[in-house]
Amino acid sequence: MKKPLILVTNDDSIVAPGIRFLISVMKEIGEVIVVAPDSPQSAMGHAITINNTLHLDKVNLDAEIEHEYSCSGTPVDCVKMAVHEILKRKPDLCVSGVNHGSNSSINVIYSGTMSAAVEAGIEGIPAIGFSHLDYSWNTNFEPLRSYVKSIVSAVLKNGLPEGVVLNVNFPKVDASEIQGVKICRQAKAMWVEEFDKRTNPQGKEYFWLTGEFVNKDLGEDTDEWALRQNYISVVPVQFDLTAHHAISTLNSWKL
Amino acid sequence: MKKPLILVTNDDSIVAPGIRFLISVMKEIGEVIVVAPDSPQSAMGHAITINNTLHLDKVNLDAEIEHEYSCSGTPVDCVKMAVHEILKRKPDLCVSGVNHGSNSSINVIYSGTMSAAVEAGIEGIPAIGFSHLDYSWNTNFEPLRSYVKSIVSAVLKNGLPEGVVLNVNFPKVDASEIQGVKICRQAKAMWVEEFDKRTNPQGKEYFWLTGEFVNKDLGEDTDEWALRQNYISVVPVQFDLTAHHAISTLNSWKL
């Protein structure tokens, strides 16, 4: 059987340990192409670069990979570049991550990692975003290898429902404490922001965005619940944003 | 009755004719506060600024408005700034736009205009994004005044279903040709990209992202269909991205 062609990207940049780990796992499964940002692109959401130029550099961080590129754009730009500029055929799978930090719950909407997966989904490519609740650059990803392989293999074997990509988050616990994998819905949680106001050397005010993650969703079918119970959470994510259930209500308004 | 407090933002920057028009309409309806980007932020999606500082400048483009600010961040940053730094109480409504260009169909996911509205929705604020299919800076928005007022009034009167914001697009036709307002689903269309490859004066390659919008969705309940028939399209947009219908399929995988 022909090896699957797997596109690997992320938002923490091409040198991040998370993507290097993910590349090493994908090499066991298929033919790997890497197109990832040349600098950190966290929280870029589904941004694309339309008012600026894009640069693509062939790199060789892994001697076993023929096609490895760093790109000046966002994670979504990387996927578009890979599919429409670099590759001759559509990849069989796109994996994004492993992100250094959580993309559970509402974070999915801000996440560059997940936006890359969503963009691949829009292109009709089965796609998975992986994120680790541990923000540390030096996390030991190795214990997650078997879980990543099992989830990727299941997607390659079964395909994904149309219009759906997967958002996988790993709990911040030792491998021995992981309880397994849970399919979840995204918890209804949000960030309550606070701006850290400071004064620059010229006396002008500026701000840093900070915030606290607040989860009032007590459901036991959410990603937040699963992760707190030491499960790996898997949320199916859709990119048709239509709230179909609201259409009849709005029709009653007689606009 | 107390006047509603209305937050106005956009992604084309605070000086764009589209937001100046929207501000002029909102002044007829409520107390207006403006927090909008100091430079164009099109296609920024749901990006937020976490690796850079944010600046906020009080401006006075409209003598009748007390609170008008330009912000160095993305449209989503503007909403967060307004709600968590500037305002003492939550606004009764957030309107974003009028965007110079379409945000119908899949464009909703790339759109800074819509991401601002979505962010307001996450904060629990009824929110509407307005976009005009005419990209021209000099479009005459005036004929749209009565439609904007009627949609805003309906939202203020009825509220919006939980977790839903509105994506309103105006067709590029003379006011006399507008057929009315249609509640729609987002068409299943996408961009097929092409990268325009060029060489800079130093001999290095660079790219511009270009593309063609391709709609193979023939449904007559879509925003694309409505707009082609000269209707104003209104799509209810949700920000819980869970593909609930896919959960049972994934559960059968035994991961």
Side-chain angles (χ1 to χ4, degrees):
Chain A
M1 197 182 109
K2 205 159 175 276
K3 274 182 149 187
L5 178 60
I6 304 174
L7 169 63
V8 186
T9 190
N10 77 340
D11 74 355
D12 288 321
S13 95
I14 195 163
V15 298
I19 193 173
R20 304 321 303 179
F21 165 74
L22 193 53
I23 291 167
S24 80
V25 185
M26 292 308 110
K27 287 198 303 188
E28 296 184 45
I29 297 172
E31 182 191 346
V32 173
I33 165 177
V34 181
V35 184
D38 61 10
S39 61
Q41 296 278 338
S42 294
M44 283 305 282
H46 214 92
I48 51 175
T49 304
I50 56 169
N51 291 320
N52 208 341
T53 57
L54 286 165
H55 298 266
L56 197 62
D57 286 298
K58 201 164 192 313
V59 296
N60 197 5
L61 301 175
D62 186 324
E64 291 174 20
I65 299 177
E66 195 187 333
H67 292 289
E68 198 175 0
Y69 300 86
S70 81
C71 172
S72 63
T74 65
V76 173
D77 290 327
C78 289
V79 171
K80 288 182 183 290
M81 273 274 179
V83 173
H84 296 287
E85 180 63 29
I86 301 169
L87 288 170
K88 298 275 180 292
R89 70 172 181 97
K90 200 180 267 197
D92 301 297
L93 180 73
C94 172
V95 291
S96 180
V98 178
N99 190 59
H100 294 259
S102 169
N103 281 319
S104 63
S105 179
I106 194 71
N107 296 305
V108 64
I109 212 167
Y110 303 101
S111 161
T113 305
M114 280 308 300
S115 292
V118 164
E119 181 63 26
I122 293 170
E123 300 272 1
I125 302 161
I128 314 168
F130 292 99
S131 305
H132 197 308
L133 265 57
D134 191 346
Y135 281 80
S136 158
W137 206 245
N138 302 312
T139 307
N140 180 16
F141 289 103
E142 214 43 63
L144 304 178
R145 185 174 291 267
S146 63
Y147 292 106
V148 171
K149 281 175 79 166
S150 126
I151 293 167
V152 164
S153 302
V155 169
L156 285 170
K157 180 178 155 221
N158 301 302
L160 281 170
E162 200 197 324
V164 170
V165 301
L166 299 186
N167 182 16
V168 178
N169 279 266
F170 296 108
K172 190 181 167 181
V173 290
D174 286 343
S176 62
E177 293 175 65
I178 291 178
Q179 298 298 306
V181 176
K182 269 247 189 292
I183 312 299
C184 310
R185 66 174 172 87
Q186 148 189 352
K188 286 194 179 75
M190 61 178 284
W191 287 88
V192 177
E193 269 78 22
E194 269 188 51
F195 288 91
D196 181 347
K197 197 197 293 194
R198 303 185 180 188
T199 307
N200 78 7
Q202 284 75 43
K204 186 171 157 56
E205 266 179 6
Y206 67 96
F207 301 85
W208 286 102
L209 175 58
T210 69
E212 191 195 353
F213 184 71
V214 177
N215 179 19
K216 291 183 178 163
D217 185 340
L218 301 175
E220 300 194 348
D221 53 348
T222 73
D223 50 1
E224 286 299 315
W225 184 90
L227 290 161
R228 271 202 314 279
Q229 308 298 318
N230 298 345
Y231 284 97
I232 295 165
S233 67
V234 177
V235 176
V237 167
Q238 63 192 1
F239 41 85
D240 173 354
L241 303 187
T242 309
H244 292 276
H245 64 281
I247 287 179
S248 62
T249 304
L250 294 178
N251 269 323
S252 73
W253 286 8
K254 313 276 177 237
L255 284 168
Chain B
M1 199 181 110
K2 206 160 173 279
K3 273 183 152 186
L5 178 61
I6 303 174
L7 169 63
V8 186
T9 189
N10 76 341
D11 75 353
D12 287 321
S13 96
I14 196 162
V15 298
I19 192 172
R20 304 320 303 180
F21 165 73
L22 193 53
I23 291 167
S24 79
V25 186
M26 292 308 112
K27 287 199 300 188
E28 296 185 44
I29 297 172
E31 182 190 349
V32 173
I33 165 175
V34 181
V35 185
D38 61 10
S39 61
Q41 296 279 336
S42 294
M44 282 304 282
H46 214 92
I48 52 175
T49 304
I50 56 169
N51 292 320
N52 208 340
T53 57
L54 286 165
H55 297 265
L56 196 63
D57 286 298
K58 201 164 193 315
V59 295
N60 198 6
L61 301 175
D62 186 323
E64 290 173 20
I65 298 177
E66 196 187 331
H67 293 289
E68 199 176 0
Y69 300 86
S70 79
C71 172
S72 63
T74 66
V76 173
D77 290 328
C78 290
V79 172
K80 287 184 185 288
M81 273 275 179
V83 174
H84 295 288
E85 181 62 29
I86 300 168
L87 288 170
K88 297 277 180 290
R89 71 173 181 97
K90 199 179 267 196
D92 301 298
L93 180 74
C94 173
V95 291
S96 180
V98 177
N99 191 60
H100 295 258
S102 169
N103 281 318
S104 64
S105 180
I106 195 68
N107 296 306
V108 63
I109 212 167
Y110 303 101
S111 160
T113 304
M114 278 309 298
S115 292
V118 164
E119 181 64 25
I122 293 171
E123 300 272 0
I125 302 161
I128 314 167
F130 293 98
S131 306
H132 197 309
L133 264 57
D134 190 347
Y135 281 79
S136 158
W137 205 247
N138 302 312
T139 306
N140 181 14
F141 289 103
E142 213 44 60
L144 304 178
R145 184 173 291 266
S146 63
Y147 293 107
V148 172
K149 281 174 81 167
S150 126
I151 293 167
V152 164
S153 301
V155 169
L156 285 170
K157 179 178 157 222
N158 301 302
L160 281 170
E162 201 197 323
V164 170
V165 302
L166 299 186
N167 183 15
V168 178
N169 280 267
F170 298 107
K172 189 180 167 180
V173 290
D174 285 342
S176 62
E177 294 175 65
I178 292 179
Q179 298 299 306
V181 177
K182 269 250 188 290
I183 312 299
C184 310
R185 66 173 173 87
Q186 145 189 353
K188 286 194 179 75
M190 60 178 285
W191 287 86
V192 176
E193 267 78 23
E194 268 189 52
F195 288 92
D196 181 347
K197 197 196 291 196
R198 302 185 179 189
T199 307
N200 77 8
Q202 284 75 43
K204 187 171 159 53
E205 265 179 7
Y206 66 97
F207 300 86
W208 287 102
L209 175 57
T210 68
E212 191 195 352
F213 184 71
V214 178
N215 180 20
K216 292 184 178 162
D217 185 340
L218 300 176
E220 300 195 348
D221 54 348
T222 73
D223 49 2
E224 287 300 316
W225 184 88
L227 290 160
R228 269 202 315 278
Q229 307 300 316
N230 298 347
Y231 284 96
I232 295 166
S233 68
V234 177
V235 176
V237 167
Q238 62 192 1
F239 42 85
D240 174 354
L241 304 187
T242 310
H244 292 277
H245 65 279
I247 287 180
S248 61
T249 306
L250 295 177
N251 269 322
S252 73
W253 286 9
K254 312 278 178 234
L255 286 168

